Structure formats: structure tokens, C-alpha cells
Amino acid sequence: MVEQLDELYREVILEHFKNPTHSGELPDAQIRASGVNPLCGDELAFHVKLRDGRLERVRFRGKGCVISQAAASMLATQLEGKTVREAERIMDAMKGLMKGQEPDASADLGDLEALAGVRKFPVRIKCAALSWNVVEQGLEAHAHGGH
Amino acid sequence: MTLNVERIRRDFPILSRTVHGKPLVYLDNAATSQKPRQVIDALSAYYSRFNANIHRGIHALAEEATAAYEAVRERTARFIRAPSPRAVVFTRNATEAINLFANGWGRSRLGPGDEILLSEMEHHSNLVPWQLLAKATGSSLAFIPITDDGRLQLDRLDALLTPRTKLVAVTHMSNVLGTINPVAQLAERAHRQGALVLLDAAQSAPHLPLDVQQLGCDALAFSSHKMLGPTGVGVLYAREELLEAMEPFLGGGEMISDVQLTSATWNEIPWKFEAGTPNIAGVIAFGEALAYLERVGMAQVRAHERELTAYAFTRLRELDGVTLYGPPGDAEDRGGAVSFNLEGLHPHDVGTVLDAEGVAIRAGHHCAKPLMRRLGVPATARASFYLYNTREEVDRLLDALHAVQAFFGRPAPARPVR
């Protein structure tokens, strides 16, 4: 295998794909959002249970490529327990990371940092980005509908 | 007689390059073929020796360019056994050829109550133009369903072909399933109901001996770039009386006979459909592609690909959790486009790892989203063969697929909801 491939499919990414840590549904979720990548058919649905301004529980369901499903698992893991503001900071940092920017030091990216290798495979960026696009949409819709 | 593949490969400069440090194995021929140096040289010969605009000039260069361009029309007619070069219109690609026919023939003839019969296995290029036409004319679309092994359900044809059916537009060979459709039978039954038949031959013209008269189709569309020629050249064949009666698709220079300030009369066929300066260099180089295929022999190309396809099927079956789509590998009615999926893996991941191994395949919906839905998958991986591919390359594909499975391992079954 060429080196770049190991950079795209880092160990931790493969691990999240094979054994996703936050797959499932939340019957009492206030936020339910889903999305697809029409070109490749990746599908993701996120459920988020909010409590006291925090994303108390985050679960996802989906099917698609390694990158899209691992990104969803890592994002769900990382967002759980964070405040809405912290979650937004994480997702903004991920968008920046895909453009080659250094992530904001205050954003707690955890395993998500492993997705940095995706930016060398431009056609695969949308696979990773599906997860934060879906969660952001869900948060926005909730913020607008909730007031 | 078998092909001298080693000798053929020497004609294709790109086949000796490496990708990520590995020798290229090019198995994306259904998307576009590679080009022999004869075709590449013809492009530069035109520009360095007789570049001129065609049909209008009175100087030597224009005469040479016009003669070369029109000679390719004659060669194309011979290649598909068309009765006359007047039945051959050059376009940009097969898509434009289908759009030309849909607009030139369909707009003035179809109305509410009329039907266009397509199939579930069409490429978007033989689907969306008819959707546009149906919307513009108030006519409607009907579809021949497919069987689970990727063949047309011909037993449904009697119910689908009615006096309302004005046109049957189907693919000759599926770009996803590899299925070669029984066109002669389809055409006979369509004609009995008074319907015309258009064939999307984008996948068949590069790989099979074609005879439009034997096939019995009224129109046929294909692209140069899938058959060793350059991009930017396509062909619409249609019976002369249809072309005569059709309205022009594009207006402009060359397609006219006389022009007044508020009206114009049309040039003769086929020039009536070739407005503006065409892809002269591309058409001339396409002539070299046809000459190349004629020298090799289309029957030999077909025999070589049948053998490779059967071999690829046998080898692919050894993979754990593989699903193969379309008719069996050794079936007479299948060409060399082989779609497959590996359990638990998205084709894009398969394609990315294969690329790292130097193996170029296609992964995606292959511009056939309704067919993907029918197959119940978001996408497939597809290997597609041509005259320069070898059994060793099939082996390289298999080695790389084994590497894919080793790399990703088998994903764990979905966990219960927590």
C-alpha cells in the first residue's frame, strides 16, 4: 500500500468504521437530522438529546463508505457531552481542517483529527463532511424552531 | 483467430505509464477508452499539415480538410453498415446525438397520449432527453422492466407496446450490467406496432460488429471517445427519410441553404444538422480509430473480450462476499462491463485502494440512478475491458481486490441499539 492510503485510512478511522461507538437511535431526541451524498449514496441520520444546553446523548445510523461512517462515529463520540457552543467550534474546526487550515487549539477534536489525511483526496472530502453538515443542519433547525 | 494483444498494447503510449509506482491496469473502458498513437498522430497531422475550415473554402487546405472530414463520414457509414453516408450526422457525443433526435424528430410529432418506451437499465443520456421531450410535448414515458439477472423482461413487451407507442429507445449494451439486448426482436415487434426504434450504442459500437440494417433500428447513437477516438465527436445514424423529415436541432452556419432576414431554408442532410464549425480534427482522428478497429476486426475484439469477461467472472467469484450484477460471465448476451460489490464495503473505498495498486476501475452510480435503485444499491464497482486488456491484468485486479479485503477486514455486524 502506498503511504498516502495509510494516511487516508488511519487505524483509528478503520476502527470506528468496524466498531462504531455511537450507532443507534434515541427515541427521546429533540434533534433528528439526516442527509445523503447524492453522488455516492452515503446516508447518515443523527439523533441528539439536548439537556441544559448540552448534547447529552448523540447517536447516528447510516450506510456508506469507510470515511463517511467513521467520521459519523467519531463526531458523535466527540460531540456527546459538549455544550452547543463547543460542538459548533468542533464542527467549524473540521471544516477548516478540510481546507488545510490548522485547527483552533480550543476545539477538542479527539479522534476526528485523524480525518486530516482526507484533504489529500479531494473527491473524498464530501464523504467526511456529510456528518457535520447533517448535525449542523439539525442544530440550526432546532435553534430556529425552538424559539 | 486471437488478437496479438502484446502488439496492440505497443500502439497505446499510455499503457506503459505507472500509477502510484505500479504499472497502470486500465479497466475503465466503459467510461472512455485509451487512444493508439495512430489516433494521437492524426490530430497533430491535421493541425500541422492541413488545418482549414471545411465546406466553404476555395483554397487547397480547405479542400484537403473537407475531403478528409467527409471520408470519415463514409468510413463511419461502412463501419455500421449504413446504406449511405448521408445517414451519418456528426455530433459532440452520443448524448448530443440522442438529444438531436429527440428534438428534431420528437418535438413536432409527439403530443398528449403518445408514449416513448424506454427500459429500466438506461444511462441518464438515454433517459433525461426523453423526460425533457415528454415534458415539452405532453407525451409520456413507459419502461420495460428488467429481470433479476439484468435482462429485459420481454414477456412484458406485448402489454407495453401499444398503438400509443411512437418510439422505443433502449440501450444496445448496458454500461452497468453488460447486458446485450435482443435488438432485432425488439425492433420487429416495435415496428409491428408502428413505433420507431432508437438504439443507444455508446457501449456496443466499440465492442461488437454493428449492422444497423440487420439490427433493424431506425436511429443509433454512439461516441468516438469510447472506441479509441478523441473526445468531442459523436455520431447519430438515422434512416435518410427520417433525417429528411426532421427539423434542425441547432441553427447557424453550414446548416442552411439560403437565409433571409427573417427566415432560412435548410441545407441537405446530413449537413442540415451540423451547424457551426464541427470538431474537424476530432472527426479526422476518429477515422483513424475506425481504421484501427477495422484492421483488428470487430469480431476478434468481441471474441477477446468474451474470453476476458468469462475469466474475470470466474476469478471474481473466488472473493468472499462478492455480488456480481448482470448476466453470467460466459453468456452470449453480455459484454465486458462487469459490475460488482464486496459485502460491507462501499465501492468508493474499493476504488481508492485499487487506485493505490495502479488499477483503474469505476465506482459510483454510472449515470444510471434508476437502475441502481432497481438493484437496491447506492453504487457499484465496475471493471470494463477492451481489446488491449489481458488475463494478467484481470489477475492484477484480483490481487488488488484481495488486498482491499485484507486492508479493511470484514466489518463487524451492526450492533444492537443502546
Side-chain angles (χ1 to χ4, degrees):
Chain A
M1 286 304 149
V2 297
E3 220 170 85
Q4 262 200 349
L5 206 54
D6 288 328
E7 224 175 292
L8 176 66
Y9 296 114
R10 297 222 179 123
E11 202 68 18
V12 57
I13 292 179
L14 292 177
E15 187 50 37
H16 272 279
F17 174 68
K18 286 180 213 171
N19 300 301
T21 57
H22 283 66
S23 69
E25 288 162 23
L26 298 170
D28 54 349
Q30 297 97 329
I31 297 176
R32 290 154 195 271
S34 59
V36 295
N37 276 332
L39 277 176
C40 51
D42 293 334
E43 292 174 19
L44 285 177
F46 275 85
H47 286 185
V48 181
K49 184 173 169 3
L50 289 172
R51 188 181 207 157
D52 302 332
R54 281 183 190 275
L55 289 72
E56 191 190 44
R57 300 186 78 198
V58 183
R59 292 289 179 274
F60 80 96
R61 279 247 183 256
K63 51 185 182 187
C65 70
V66 170
I67 302 301
S68 69
Q69 303 306 304
S73 174
M74 292 190 287
L75 187 69
T77 308
Q78 211 55 29
L79 294 185
E80 196 165 88
K82 299 288 192 300
T83 65
V84 172
R85 179 75 198 96
E86 286 166 342
E88 285 168 351
R89 202 174 297 146
I90 288 170
M91 294 190 285
D92 284 344
M94 289 313 296
K95 281 189 261 177
L97 195 64
M98 291 299 113
K99 293 179 195 148
Q101 294 160 7
E102 278 301 309
D104 176 358
S106 66
D108 178 12
L109 295 186
D111 288 351
L112 282 167
E113 264 183 79
L115 287 169
V118 174
R119 63 173 178 244
K120 289 191 181 152
F121 295 76
V123 296
R124 307 301 301 273
I125 289 175
K126 66 179 187 332
C127 308
L130 181 62
S131 53
W132 47 86
N133 287 342
V134 167
V135 174
E136 261 189 353
Q137 268 170 30
L139 284 175
E140 264 169 44
H142 184 261
H144 288 116
H147 293 292
Chain B
M1 205 183 91
T2 52
L3 295 190
N4 187 340
V5 179
E6 276 319 302
R7 210 174 116 193
I8 287 171
R9 289 180 69 86
R10 283 201 292 275
D11 288 330
F12 292 76
I14 209 168
L15 295 180
S16 58
R17 73 159 278 183
T18 58
V19 168
H20 305 306
K22 315 255 167 83
L24 167 68
V25 174
Y26 186 78
L27 301 179
D28 194 16
N29 294 289
T32 196
S33 78
Q34 297 303 343
K35 324 298 175 198
R37 65 182 156 71
Q38 290 86 337
V39 167
I40 301 167
D41 291 349
L43 285 171
S44 91
Y46 163 73
Y47 285 120
S48 44
R49 296 217 311 270
F50 53 104
N51 173 52
N53 211 331
I54 52 171
H55 295 139
R56 288 174 284 276
I58 48 158
H59 51 78
L61 297 187
E63 273 173 31
E64 287 177 32
T66 304
Y69 180 89
E70 290 301 329
V72 178
R73 197 188 305 278
E74 284 168 29
R75 193 183 273 282
T76 307
R78 284 199 303 276
F79 191 82
I80 60 171
R81 308 277 185 272
S84 156
R86 284 164 43 89
V88 171
V89 180
F90 288 121
T91 62
R92 232 166 15 107
N93 45 40
T95 299
E96 188 178 287
I98 293 170
N99 277 276
L100 192 172
F101 192 84
N103 284 278
W105 172 83
R107 288 235 172 196
S108 54
R109 275 169 193 75
L110 296 189
D114 292 333
E115 260 181 25
I116 304 162
L117 183 58
L118 312 171
S119 87
E120 283 183 342
M121 65 168 83
E122 298 311 314
H123 188 283
H124 297 163
S125 61
N126 195 35
L127 174 57
V128 181
W130 308 115
Q131 291 175 347
L132 292 171
L133 179 64
K135 200 171 164 194
T137 59
S139 55
S140 52
L141 306 179
F143 295 88
I144 307 171
I146 61 167
T147 61
D148 287 338
D149 62 355
R151 291 171 164 125
L152 294 180
Q153 286 187 27
L154 290 177
D155 54 340
R156 299 283 302 278
L157 207 54
D158 282 336
L160 288 164
L161 267 176
T162 71
R164 289 194 306 276
T165 315
K166 295 294 179 283
L167 176 76
V168 179
V170 291
T171 184
H172 190 191
M173 187 198 288
S174 163
N175 69 312
V176 175
L177 304 162
T179 316
I180 300 169
N181 287 320
V183 174
Q185 193 200 139
L186 210 60
E188 201 216 307
R189 290 168 75 176
H191 288 153
R192 231 183 294 151
Q193 285 289 2
L196 297 180
V197 173
L198 175 137
L199 274 193
D200 172 0
Q203 294 296 332
S204 60
H207 303 284
L208 304 178
L210 272 194
D211 183 332
V212 289
Q213 299 178 74
Q214 215 170 58
L215 288 169
C217 58
D218 302 283
L220 176 119
F222 58 100
S223 281
S224 148
H225 73 93
K226 291 189 202 291
M227 49 197 303
L228 311 185
T231 54
V233 176
V235 173
L236 174 70
Y237 155 81
R239 286 194 292 110
E240 283 174 73
E241 55 271 38
L242 285 172
L243 290 176
E244 296 278 11
M246 275 162 60
E247 290 294 311
F249 176 40
L250 300 173
E254 179 55 27
M255 52 78 71
I256 50 88
S257 149
D258 188 29
V259 178
Q260 311 284 334
L261 277 177
T262 56
S263 65
T265 51
W266 315 137
N267 196 345
E268 289 174 41
I269 64 164
W271 301 284
K272 158 172 119 175
F273 299 105
E274 294 182 6
T277 299
N279 186 350
I280 304 167
V283 166
I284 290 170
F286 175 50
E288 286 303 316
L290 293 176
Y292 193 98
L293 289 170
E294 279 169 0
R295 277 198 302 276
V296 172
M298 290 307 291
Q300 276 71 36
V301 171
R302 168 72 179 139
H304 175 71
E305 289 173 23
R306 274 198 74 177
E307 201 227 300
L308 271 186
T309 306
Y311 179 63
F313 255 68
T314 310
R315 294 268 355 242
L316 284 164
R317 282 222 179 79
E318 67 187 47
L319 291 165
D320 212 14
V322 72
T323 304
L324 292 156
Y325 303 95
D330 55 358
E332 210 162 312
D333 62 343
R334 103 152 350 269
V338 179
S339 279
F340 61 94
N341 265 317
L342 297 178
E343 194 187 342
L345 290 176
H346 191 280
H348 278 179
D349 292 312
V350 176
T352 296
V353 178
L354 290 188
D355 180 58
E357 296 286 321
V359 180
I361 61 148
R362 186 79 151 199
H365 54 60
H366 315 292
C367 297
K369 292 194 88 166
L371 175 56
M372 292 293 119
R373 274 182 214 113
R374 168 65 181 80
L375 298 175
V377 293
T380 70
R382 180 189 68 192
S384 51
F385 306 112
Y386 211 0
L387 73 168
Y388 39 66
N389 289 123
T390 64
R391 284 168 80 97
E392 291 70 34
E393 289 182 307
V394 175
D395 294 335
R396 284 270 314 275
L397 168 69
L398 264 292
D399 289 347
L401 287 170
H402 283 296
V404 168
Q405 290 190 323
F407 186 74
F408 291 116
R410 295 294 291 279
R415 288 182 177 184
V417 179
R418 285 172 298 174

